[in-house]
Amino acid sequence: MASNPKSLGNRVGSLQCDNTTLHLLKANDFVANAIRQRLKNVCVINVCSSPGSGKTTLMQETGKRLGKDLNIAVLVGDPETDRDAVRMKEVGLNALQIVTGGMCHIEAQMILQALDHIDLENLDLLFIENVGNLLCPSAFDLGEDYRVTLLATTEGDDKPKKYPRMFLTSELMLVSKADLLPYVPFTVENVTQDAREVNPNIEILTISTLNGEGIDAWCEWLQARVEAKKAQIAE
């Protein structure tokens, strides 16, 4: 199996895990690798955050802006209801709800099963909107190419140090709800410093789906990753 920063081997060194946990993560990583093989022509983005950070609204806005240029699908994880998938479909996105039944994260096996129920033909970009949680999802590789974590300004700027594994395993942090910065005790400089102390390579964008700040840069980031994945396959 190719080395992956979210895989078991890169986690165990800093975790005290019993044998059951080790087996669970190892099995998950095996399935995640199978997903990568199946989606080798698709750029897969695992979108993580706390509840209410704006993941679904961002997916809707992304679909509106890129839907004409890219074939996009979304797998949406929630403990109950299909409300978020319905919201995706309202803007024309190919969306499927994964109801976890109370589980605080999505596991790779759920993604593998869901792939049988979405149209993968000519797919360019697959979003996995994970269950709202900064802790549990960080341990589970879902076969993604990139992990993106939203951190809303309403949450406070101390989260990268409180939930380091999520930011350690993310390629991009989106500081969302930037339109509220004048009204909340949140400093972009502080959160940037903390995030880069946890992960020096993490990229950071400040966005607002309300006023459009940073959304063009986000879409450009996505398009560049899709093009890079296609170029990699062509080699």
Side-chain angles (χ1 to χ4, degrees):
M1 184 184 301
S3 175
N4 187 302
K6 305 171 189 75
S7 68
L8 175 69
N10 290 281
R11 295 194 204 103
V12 174
S14 61
L15 291 176
Q16 297 297 319
C17 298
D18 60 25
N19 289 335
T20 303
T21 305
L22 287 172
H23 291 164
L24 171 63
L25 294 177
K26 186 174 182 179
N28 183 86
D29 291 341
F30 180 84
V31 178
N33 190 54
I35 293 170
R36 285 192 175 88
Q37 292 300 314
R38 185 168 178 181
L39 298 179
K40 59 184 179 181
N41 297 319
V42 181
C43 184
V44 183
I45 310 288
N46 182 3
V47 183
C48 301
S49 77
S50 299
S53 66
K55 295 191 300 298
T56 303
T57 305
L58 179 62
M59 295 296 95
Q60 289 179 297
E61 187 63 27
T62 303
K64 291 176 185 177
R65 294 186 180 225
L66 294 181
K68 295 180 180 179
D69 300 319
L70 299 174
N71 189 357
I72 303 172
V74 188
L75 297 177
V76 190
D78 274 311
E80 298 293 344
T81 82
D82 64 349
R83 291 179 179 177
D84 287 352
V86 170
R87 289 175 60 188
M88 306 289 186
K89 291 177 180 179
E90 287 173 349
V91 297
L93 285 170
N94 174 17
L96 179 68
Q97 187 79 40
I98 299 175
V99 177
T100 67
M103 287 183 63
C104 59
H105 61 277
I106 297 175
E107 296 180 8
Q109 183 62 41
M110 300 176 189
I111 300 299
L112 189 63
Q113 291 175 313
L115 294 181
D116 292 330
H117 301 280
I118 62 171
D119 185 4
L120 299 176
E121 187 175 359
N122 300 318
L123 191 63
D124 298 306
L125 179 60
L126 174 64
F127 287 111
I128 301 169
E129 185 184 317
N130 219 313
V131 177
N133 187 337
L134 284 177
L135 186 60
C136 302
S138 66
F140 289 86
D141 181 5
L142 302 181
E144 69 264 28
D145 296 296
Y146 303 96
R147 181 174 290 172
V148 174
T149 296
L150 276 70
L151 178 61
T153 57
T154 51
E155 296 178 70
D157 54 22
D158 58 350
K159 298 304 178 288
K161 289 288 184 73
K162 286 188 173 183
Y163 302 92
R165 186 160 299 280
M166 179 60 79
F167 297 90
L168 178 64
T169 58
S170 294
E171 283 76 26
L172 174 66
M173 177 177 74
L174 296 176
V175 178
S176 62
K177 303 187 180 182
D179 51 285
L180 296 178
L181 278 169
Y183 313 105
V184 294
F186 186 105
T187 305
V188 175
E189 291 78 7
N190 288 349
V191 79
T192 298
Q193 180 178 335
D194 276 6
R196 288 191 168 144
E197 286 180 5
V198 171
N199 178 1
N201 297 317
I202 196 169
E203 297 183 64
I204 299 169
L205 292 174
T206 301
I207 65 168
S208 168
T209 53
L210 185 64
N211 64 24
E213 178 182 349
I215 303 300
D216 285 343
W218 158 244
C219 290
E220 290 168 4
W221 187 92
L222 289 170
Q223 289 176 308
R225 271 67 194 171
V226 171
E227 291 171 5
K229 184 68 178 283
K230 291 181 179 179
Q232 179 183 349
I233 296 303
E235 292 178 354

